[in-house]
Amino acid sequence: MSDVVVQDQVDVRVWGKERGLPYPYPLICHLLDVAAVFGALWDVLLHPRLRERVAAELGLGVGDARRVLAWWAGLHDLGKITPPFQAQVPDAFKALTDDGSYAAAAGAERLAGFRHELGTHWALVSLLAEAGYPVSRVQARSLPHQVAQLLGGHHGCFADVVPVRQAAAAEQYQAGLGQRGWQEQRRCHLEAVRRTVGAEAVPAGQLSAATSVRVYGLVVLADWLASRVEWILPGLPSRTWPGRPEQLDAHYRQAVRDAPGVVATARLGRTEFPRERTLKFEELFPFTPNLLQQDVAEVLPGLVGDEGSGLVLVTAPTGDGKTEAALFAAALLGRASGARGVYFALPTMATADQMFPRVASFAERVLTGERAVLLMHSAAWLSTAMDGVQGGRAADTWSLEEAVGQGEQEADASGDEFSAAPATAVEARAWLREGGKRGFAAPLGAGTIDQALAAVLPVSFNALRLFGLSDKVLIVDEAHAYGPWMQTLMVRLLEWLGALRAPVVLLSATLTGRSASSLVDAYRRGAGFTAPCAVQPAYPGWLFADAATGEVSDARAVATLRPRTLDLSLRQVTWDCEESEARPRPGGRRGVLREVLTPVAEFGGTALVCCTTVAEAQRTFRDLRRAFPALAREKGGIRLLHSRFPGLLRQEITADCERAYGKPGPDKQPGVRPASILVATQIVEQSLDFDFDLVVSDLAPLALLLQRAGRGRRHARGPTGRPAWARAEDRPALIVLEPTGPDGATEPPGSWGDVYDHSLLLRSAALLREKAGQGIAVPGDVQDLVDAAYAQDFADRLKEAAEQEAEAAARRLHTLDQRRTGAQIAEETLAVMTGISPPYAVRGDLSLLSKGTAEMTAELLTTRLGADTGRLLLLFTQEAGRVSLDEDGRLPLPDKGAPDRAAVRRIVARTVPVPGRWLPPAGDRPDLPAAWRKHTHLRDLVLVPMVRTSEGNGSTIWHGELDGRQIEFTRETGIDRV
């Protein structure tokens, strides 16, 4: 580069990028590149109506707004014109400082804590004021500071507001900014980019929180795209390039020509929704809609209008087609609101994996334009959801047919948090999946709700997640399934989405009226309507809250094609789950299970037994195998499903259950299924399309029992599809086992711990006793029962009964209610303190998006409060002391050197989640291979050597030791602590 320095022109020796390049790239070129890419993203990602809205907020025309915002994007790295940053390339820094044009305080170049994005924030406040931008006495409402703070956050976090007095003498407070020469060059770069881009217009307004999020997202994406070596190398000027104004113009013109191509290659386009104003359900799905779906299809278009947005709440029993109703609503809302995609949020990784192909199929069949679809959760790259379609990768299995050598693991280019659908070409994997923070930039996705809720936690780049959700239809499944912590974060997220006018669809099978009102009001509050509304959901039914007017439609009740009455039986039992005598004691849980499951064993059909803990599910499984030995010998006669299997084995068991208990095919009349019992934990409650002839459950909160009951006779199997004892498809049987003490009162066993709140268990038992013998009408009784379970006057109503026992129960329930309310308030308060501020409280200070109101720890920043778990990796000891990751010795432990991505995937797919209390202290754990300690997904694993001890019932039993306790593993039961 030229060594002639004139302080009133850009010094091209000031570098901006150098990693992976033959020599440093001038900063001015990078600034112009980002401005050009920003313009392309503005054209592609923002709907024309949204561009007009942003421009109007700035008091500019759309063309001027585009140029001004592109200029702002170019200024994001102005803080690189500082001694600490330039000193990172010593030769370049020496060339700058040797000619005397630049001065700084002694040691300024060694200020490692001074980051260049902070320099951008501090320097721009005064420079933009010099440029004529309107200022305010309140710094946070001054446009120069708003822009400076926004651009200073481009590495993920926004810094605090810079006080007016300090901003006016920034170099005195931040020595890293340098002195003579540095400020002049920052001014020269600013003016050069402004002139080249043509951003002479001066905005008259301020930035709202919503517009700040949108501009921020575009800036970050533009910076990332224009920082790739593949982008820089073709435009890298010669070492002697002087950077005259006409050369800057030429560089920018070329960048403008290239920018649309790089945006398209990154798969950052817009999904196009069906354009028809009178959209018909049958045009989107290959079947006739049911009554719920038909009502949404006929009425929702008139409520939304041609250019509307808002929130749709759908409440209906499991199996009533809520998913298809939601996708139809998403297509309608997406077109009307100008959204560019959809994100389907689910409660767990397993349910997200199952929803992913449905979303991909919907996109392939219904949508046009850019249709990059990503699976989004923390272990998506490990998921088998896309096995067999990504780059020819073969599906991994628990039992391998052939041995795998240390160097024979197949290549796998997947990213850290996301997995792409087959419709997503290699370009999507090459950029969208390179880093976990880019996933919400894709137009379409399915994943966990955690990924969305992270947008309102003070984590790095949370504002980018908000940006990604701002232009999508967000569908939240199982909206009832979250505790107080996550529900509070959901309220905060809905406030932001309301402010962003982003369309939302909430789905629930059991949502109380109070919770429904809370969620709907949060969205309305964000949209600017603070007066609360009283929402009483229709069940089944739906309602719509308009983002433009705040009006909430009357809940539309619809009939169901399959009204049913749960044939409820409440069996009071003594808790003998831990006993193993051959003859169960009278009145015990073991004996009652034998009694109610005998028809299955003798006459065929299927049954679900839902247990509260993994340990009790394992004991129940073993006990039923002893009780029904003939059934246990049949393949699939008695199955077990819970969370404490190695991940890969659990996926295989789930797939086997889907085949055994799933929806019958349309081609033939189903017959009676062979006798089969599935013992499971709560994981069967959500999004698993299982159908059983009988459902038996331990006592649980009423809403969860109704979820489980939805797996009973879920699909129509016709007159020959069920055994004689379960022939009535409109009266599915639900047997609830209520643990009782010596006095006959509900007494949850100590082994349940805090899995469920005890006051909710007592409330549920009392309501079930009222319904026993008469049944529960579905859907007719559901909403009233769910609301009653949480009613504040529940204990008072018990007291009204004149019986002494009722008074005692009421006093006990009152005590437990107080404990539950206290815990709920504590969780809600902690979530409020942890989460970021609501949009209406930002008032120009974006630092409120990067911090909660309390000091945070890593533990508090998880969206699942109290999720204290570890992961075990079982090492199976073979002959001659060899260890392998599989029972048969075909997959050796890859401990030689750094494992490649495919090896990491195989390893983590075989880990087992266990409670954190099981784990030994860090210093007492077996040593990990050296290379594993540096790997994000491997460094926290706990290795457990396992030894084959016996063969039982045709199954190999393995034993090991963990923190002084014996553990046992079989592929039928998973991990059990003896």
Side-chain angles (χ1 to χ4, degrees):
M1 305 299 170
S2 172
D3 57 2
V4 178
V5 181
V6 181
Q7 280 299 342
D8 61 353
Q9 73 177 42
V10 169
D11 186 349
V12 295
R13 297 175 303 170
V14 175
W15 64 275
K17 298 288 180 182
E18 57 86 28
R19 185 175 300 174
L21 303 174
Y23 49 86
Y25 190 51
L27 177 63
I28 186 64
C29 294
H30 176 61
L31 303 187
L32 293 172
D33 292 345
V34 173
V37 177
F38 180 97
L41 290 169
W42 166 277
D43 295 340
V44 172
L45 298 191
L46 297 194
H47 189 276
R49 293 200 304 271
L50 187 53
R51 293 180 225 154
E52 293 173 359
R53 193 182 309 160
V54 172
E57 188 173 304
L58 296 174
L60 299 172
V62 173
D64 279 341
R66 182 187 189 277
R67 288 185 287 272
V68 166
L69 293 175
W71 175 45
W72 293 359
L75 301 180
H76 75 290
D77 268 352
L78 209 64
K80 289 183 174 179
I81 310 176
T82 54
F85 184 85
Q86 292 298 311
Q88 293 179 48
V89 177
D91 291 344
F93 183 64
K94 186 175 185 299
L96 289 175
T97 55
D98 279 357
D99 67 10
S101 301
Y102 297 87
E109 71 278 7
R110 296 191 297 275
L111 294 173
F114 181 85
R115 294 180 60 83
H116 74 269
E117 61 268 28
L118 183 67
T120 297
H121 182 173
W122 276 74
L124 269 179
V125 179
S126 59
L127 289 174
L128 289 175
E130 290 177 11
Y133 275 42
V135 298
S136 168
R137 287 189 302 173
V138 178
Q139 184 76 307
R141 299 181 186 177
S142 176
L143 186 59
H145 186 275
Q146 290 179 343
V147 177
Q149 189 181 41
L150 184 152
L151 297 177
H154 74 272
H155 275 270
C157 293
F158 301 104
D160 290 336
V161 171
V162 178
V164 174
R165 183 176 299 176
Q166 294 183 20
E171 292 85 351
Q172 297 178 23
Y173 292 90
Q174 295 289 348
L177 289 171
Q179 298 172 351
R180 185 186 70 253
W182 297 104
Q183 176 73 342
E184 287 79 0
Q185 269 307 304
R186 288 193 289 268
R187 183 178 292 107
C188 286
H189 278 69
L190 177 145
E191 292 173 350
V193 178
R194 188 180 195 183
R195 180 200 63 79
T196 306
V197 174
E200 301 301 328
V202 176
Q206 296 181 5
L207 291 175
S208 66
T211 294
S212 296
V213 165
R214 290 192 168 99
V215 174
Y216 174 81
L218 295 177
V219 169
V220 170
L221 294 179
D223 181 31
W224 288 352
L225 288 171
S227 296
R228 303 172 68 219
V229 171
E230 296 86 347
W231 166 276
I232 294 173
L233 282 176
L236 181 65
S238 70
R239 291 179 182 271
T240 59
W241 186 70
R244 292 188 293 270
E246 63 272 18
Q247 292 172 313
L248 299 184
D249 292 342
H251 182 92
Y252 183 65
R253 285 194 299 271
Q254 185 60 51
V256 169
R257 285 192 291 269
D258 294 340
V262 75
V263 170
T265 299
R267 307 299 297 272
L268 290 177
R270 295 180 58 83
T271 291
E272 297 295 334
F273 295 93
R275 297 180 180 276
E276 294 81 0
R277 172 67 176 80
T278 56
L279 195 62
K280 290 185 171 54
F281 188 92
E282 296 89 335
E283 296 170 351
L284 274 60
F285 300 97
F287 54 84
T288 302
N290 63 23
L291 296 178
L292 171 67
Q293 296 159 346
Q294 185 67 37
D295 198 64
V296 170
E298 291 178 351
V299 178
L300 184 59
L303 296 174
V304 173
D306 291 334
E307 298 183 358
S309 184
L311 179 146
V312 176
L313 172 64
V314 180
T315 48
T318 56
D320 263 27
K322 293 190 296 293
T323 297
E324 289 74 19
L327 290 172
F328 179 91
L332 180 69
L333 287 165
R335 176 197 59 77
S337 67
R340 75 175 187 99
V342 176
Y343 181 66
F344 209 123
L346 297 111
T348 66
M349 289 186 286
T351 53
D353 287 350
Q354 291 171 339
M355 183 59 66
F356 179 75
R358 296 176 69 177
V359 173
S361 173
F362 177 79
E364 192 74 18
R365 190 178 66 253
V366 174
L367 308 179
T368 56
E370 180 55 76
R371 291 176 292 177
V373 189
L374 294 186
L375 176 64
M376 299 169 60
H377 56 66
S378 59
W381 70 287
L382 299 169
S383 171
T384 59
M386 300 311 302
D387 276 353
V389 297
Q390 293 184 22
R393 185 176 70 206
D396 195 5
T397 57
W398 177 251
S399 297
L400 301 172
E401 295 183 1
E402 298 179 359
V404 178
Q406 288 255 6
E408 299 173 15
Q409 321 248 12
E410 69 271 15
D412 182 357
S414 55
D416 276 346
E417 291 192 35
F418 309 115
S419 183
T424 336
V426 68
E427 294 90 347
R429 293 201 294 274
W431 194 82
L432 282 173
R433 298 176 64 213
E434 278 179 4
K437 301 176 179 67
R438 301 177 185 176
F440 277 109
L444 299 167
T448 53
I449 187 63
D450 302 64
Q451 295 290 326
L453 293 181
V456 291
L457 285 171
V459 296
S460 180
F461 290 104
N462 61 335
L464 185 64
R465 292 177 187 261
L466 276 176
F467 166 75
L469 291 168
S470 71
D471 59 1
K472 292 184 179 65
V473 184
L474 174 65
I475 303 173
V476 180
D477 198 10
E478 311 283 2
H480 58 275
Y482 311 113
W485 162 264
M486 293 184 71
Q487 201 74 8
T488 303
L489 294 178
M490 178 73 74
V491 164
R492 183 55 43 84
L493 178 61
L494 289 173
E495 288 176 325
W496 274 96
L497 295 178
L500 292 160
R501 300 296 194 272
V504 176
V505 182
L506 302 179
L507 307 178
S508 177
T510 51
L511 192 67
T512 66
R514 189 184 311 166
S515 295
S517 295
S518 172
L519 297 175
V520 172
D521 275 344
Y523 185 85
R524 296 174 61 252
R525 193 162 53 246
F529 305 96
T530 57
C533 67
V535 171
Q536 184 58 41
Y539 193 87
W542 63 280
L543 58 81
F544 174 70
D546 194 309
T549 66
E551 295 181 3
V552 181
S553 70
D554 292 334
R556 291 188 59 83
V558 297
T560 178
L561 292 176
R562 293 191 67 202
R564 300 181 293 164
T565 298
L566 294 180
D567 192 357
L568 173 66
S569 174
L570 183 65
R571 301 290 298 268
Q572 294 189 328
V573 297
T574 303
W575 207 254
D576 61 353
C577 190
E578 296 185 6
E579 299 177 6
S580 57
E581 290 79 2
R583 184 184 296 275
R585 56 171 153 154
R589 176 181 182 272
R590 295 171 61 222
V592 171
L593 276 176
R594 283 163 165 76
E595 173 194 334
V596 300
L597 294 173
T598 293
V600 178
E602 293 185 355
F603 305 110
T606 61
L608 168 66
V609 178
C610 197
C611 305
T612 301
T613 70
V614 172
E616 289 178 350
Q618 291 168 325
R619 294 189 189 103
T620 300
F621 172 78
R622 295 188 182 102
D623 192 57
L624 292 179
R625 288 176 65 91
R626 290 191 294 268
F628 303 108
L631 184 58
R633 287 191 293 270
E634 296 293 330
K635 180 177 174 57
I638 304 179
R639 294 179 172 91
L640 177 62
L641 178 62
H642 56 71
S643 62
R644 214 166 290 162
F645 284 100
L648 192 59
L649 183 55
R650 174 180 161 182
Q651 290 170 345
E652 293 178 10
I653 294 171
T654 302
D656 179 50
C657 290
E658 288 172 342
R659 290 187 290 270
Y661 312 119
K663 188 175 184 177
D667 299 333
K668 60 180 181 179
Q669 175 64 43
V672 176
R673 289 169 290 186
S676 178
I677 299 169
L678 174 65
V679 180
T681 56
Q682 303 95 316
I683 62 175
V684 297
E685 289 170 1
Q686 298 168 346
S687 301
L688 292 174
D689 193 12
F690 291 170
D691 174 300
F692 299 93
D693 299 313
L694 170 67
V695 175
V696 184
S697 175
D698 290 332
L699 181 64
L702 188 62
L704 301 185
L705 289 173
L706 293 171
Q707 283 283 97
R708 296 171 190 179
R711 274 63 189 160
R713 306 179 200 175
R714 179 182 179 97
H715 299 301
R717 296 185 62 87
T720 62
R722 300 193 187 276
W725 58 267
R727 194 60 52 80
E729 291 201 314
D730 60 347
R731 292 192 66 87
L734 171 64
I735 299 174
V736 178
L737 307 180
E738 177 193 4
T740 55
D743 59 355
T746 307
E747 191 66 49
S751 59
W752 289 9
D754 294 326
V755 175
Y756 300 127
D757 182 88
H758 284 199
S759 76
L760 289 181
L761 293 177
L762 266 63
R763 286 167 171 251
S764 299
L767 289 169
L768 291 173
R769 278 193 289 274
E770 293 177 5
K771 287 291 184 180
Q774 54 183 302
I776 298 175
V778 179
D781 292 341
V782 171
Q783 191 65 54
D784 289 341
L785 278 174
V786 172
D787 286 336
Y790 290 88
Q792 293 180 332
D793 63 348
F794 192 96
D796 294 334
R797 287 193 288 110
L798 273 184
K799 287 182 180 179
E800 291 176 3
E803 301 172 7
Q804 183 176 355
E805 293 83 356
E807 290 188 15
R811 288 194 298 271
R812 181 184 178 207
L813 181 58
H814 180 70
T815 301
L816 292 173
D817 278 346
Q818 287 182 317
R819 187 183 306 168
R820 174 174 61 88
T821 301
Q824 179 176 332
I825 291 173
E827 284 196 33
E828 290 173 346
T829 302
L830 186 58
V832 169
M833 295 173 65
T834 306
I836 65 174
S837 295
Y840 45 81
V842 170
R843 298 187 180 92
D845 181 7
L846 294 179
S847 71
L848 297 178
L849 274 72
S850 293
K851 57 188 177 186
T853 57
E855 184 176 351
M856 292 300 103
T857 64
E859 290 75 16
L860 283 180
L861 288 181
T862 174
T863 57
R864 296 189 185 277
L865 185 65
D868 178 22
T869 61
R871 300 192 76 84
L872 308 182
L873 179 65
L874 307 182
L875 304 182
F876 298 98
T877 305
Q878 309 295 335
E879 295 178 359
R882 290 187 307 109
V883 295
S884 65
L885 301 183
D886 69 318
E887 297 178 83
D888 301 318
R890 296 191 175 102
L891 183 61
L893 178 70
D895 57 354
K896 303 296 189 294
D900 61 18
R901 191 177 298 275
V904 173
R905 187 176 187 271
R906 283 188 181 274
I907 293 166
V908 179
R910 287 166 168 76
T911 59
V912 187
V914 297
R917 65 180 182 275
W918 283 26
L919 304 181
D924 296 338
R925 300 175 186 180
D927 290 337
L928 292 168
W932 292 26
R933 299 172 202 153
K934 301 177 182 178
H935 197 287
T936 303
H937 294 286
L938 304 181
R939 63 190 177 202
D940 294 323
L941 298 183
V942 178
L943 306 182
V944 184
M946 304 293 289
V947 178
R948 182 187 286 108
T949 57
S950 63
E951 304 280 341
N953 296 321
S955 175
T956 303
I957 302 175
W958 299 80
H959 281 88
E961 186 174 306
L962 183 65
D963 197 26
R965 294 282 296 271
Q966 289 292 312
I967 61 171
E968 177 182 290
F969 170 79
T970 74
R971 69 179 66 188
E972 287 78 19
T973 58
I975 281 287
D976 189 10
R977 190 162 67 161
V978 180

